[in-house]
Amino acid sequence: MAVLTAPHAVVMPRMSAILRHAAPRVLESMIMPVASFYLGLIVAGIPGGIAAMVLWVYGGAGWRLVKRSDVPGSVLLAALMVTVRLVLAVVFHDPKWFFLIPTLGIFCASATFLCTTRARRPMLQRVAADLVPMPDEVQRHPLMRRFFARQSLLWGGAQLLNGTFTLWMLFHEAMGVFLVVRTAGVALLLGGVALGSVLDFRRTLGALQLRP
């Protein structure tokens, strides 16, 4: 169904198509590095977990280079971050450094989301556009702009809470407790926020008279 205020009919992809587009990117750059870490952790402890994550990230980039295909920016960024984390952990002989860098990155992401809430194109909108293809006229619609402003505040606040909780756990609990409790807590927090975002997205599409 078309957006009534648009000069011509605009049709959004179905939700299934959106998920198919986003799922491989989320799986490779967000879920599998963490999954590979925990698999290595079970097999060979913290060093094994770190090695498994590094191999997954470098393997994804290397496979694309062998095939001479483009390496996504998310994969390059992940490779850079995991390299810095590995070097710091080795230099300081402390696995906490492997987790400290992404924790600081969480605070940076939170600040970016919050500071760009009222920007013409919030950072969260840029991230969402990589995962969910949307026509320009839909992204520019006032209802959708308010949606991204709300979500910027929501995710900025959630990541601030995530970073604070992670940092406290990292320096006040043993590494084993940190890995279990932090993972479970953050999964619940971000899972709840993600569910709220999906529901808000569907409500906004409904207000735009679009049906995914």
Side-chain angles (χ1 to χ4, degrees), residues 184-198:
V186 172
L188 289 173
L189 170 65
L190 298 187
V193 173
L195 177 60
S197 297
V198 171

Side-chain angles (χ1 to χ4, degrees), residues 23-41 47-65 71-72 74-83 85-86 98:
R25 293 160 175 78
V26 173
L27 180 66
E28 180 179 11
S29 62
M30 300 180 186
I31 297 177
M32 284 307 300
V34 177
S36 62
F37 172 83
Y38 281 103
L39 179 61
L41 179 69
I50 294 175
M53 178 183 284
V54 171
L55 287 174
W56 171 264
V57 174
Y58 281 162
W63 176 248
R64 286 180 171 83
L65 291 175
V71 181
S74 59
V75 174
L76 290 175
L77 182 59
L80 174 62
M81 289 300 297
V82 81
T83 301
R85 294 165 66 182
L86 178 62
F98 192 78

Side-chain angles (χ1 to χ4, degrees), residues 73-138:
S74 59
V75 174
L76 290 175
L77 182 59
L80 174 62
M81 289 300 297
V82 81
T83 301
V84 173
R85 294 165 66 182
L86 178 62
V87 169
L88 289 175
V90 171
V91 169
F92 290 99
H93 304 286
D94 189 342
K96 286 186 177 181
W97 283 92
F98 192 78
F99 301 97
L100 180 61
I101 298 302
T103 302
L104 299 179
I106 292 171
F107 286 111
C108 292
S110 172
T112 301
F113 290 153
L114 293 173
C115 291
T116 62
T117 297
R118 299 187 64 83
R120 184 180 62 84
R121 195 180 183 208
M123 179 57 68
L124 186 67
Q125 181 177 353
R126 296 174 183 269
V127 174
D130 291 336
L131 300 175
V132 181
M134 288 182 287
D136 289 340
E137 49 264 56
V138 173

Side-chain angles (χ1 to χ4, degrees), residues 15 147 150-151 192-206:
M15 186 61 71
F147 164 79
R150 287 195 305 272
Q151 291 302 312
V193 173
L195 177 60
S197 297
V198 171
L199 295 176
D200 191 15
F201 182 58
R202 291 183 66 89
R203 186 191 64 81
T204 302
L205 290 183

